[in-house]
Amino acid sequence: MTTETLEPGESIIDPSDELLYRQITPPLFDEESNQPASFAFGPQNCDEGKVSYSRSSKVTAQEARDWHCANSSKPSLGVWAVTSSEAQTEPLRCVDDWTDGDQSQIGKMAPGHCYLDFRGFSKPEKKRIRANLLRFALKRGEIPTNKSQDSSDRAD
């Protein structure tokens, strides 16, 4: 587990059945298997070890998808999720970095934003953790949402 210090305004999310929504964009989707790619739930180069999710206690899956499609250069093809308990069995820190009412975050960060903290893990550990998160998400299945107007024309 990482020992990085939390930033001001960040807090640890307690383990629970709360869903943490992950937007699956074209680079994170495996067309051949018609599901998220094996690396979809782990860090990408731009994440700096902080993988973006949205909290179900603060935003619906549809709201999260709509915001992503309106504000990201890569549209969401769908929403998948893990629980904070599942993530913390890995043992990842689930960090809430969204402050309700903080106007400086509007348009820059998805409402209800949080991240899974992969900092401090080796490449083999990251690979194992993201594979386990993918298994949890696949077992749960895609979270039902409607295709956003700004999303791609991928056939669902």
Side-chain angles (χ1 to χ4, degrees), residues 7-8 17 39 41 74 76 80 86 111:
E7 297 293 325
D17 290 334
F39 53 84
F41 290 86
K74 297 175 186 156
S76 174
W80 295 72
E86 291 166 345

Side-chain angles (χ1 to χ4, degrees), residues 26-27 33-34 41 44 54 56 66 69 87 91 101 103 107 112 114 124 142 152:
S33 62
N34 199 35
F41 290 86
Q44 309 304 303
S54 294
S56 65
D66 290 347
C69 288
Q103 297 299 311
C114 64
E142 184 175 357
S152 75

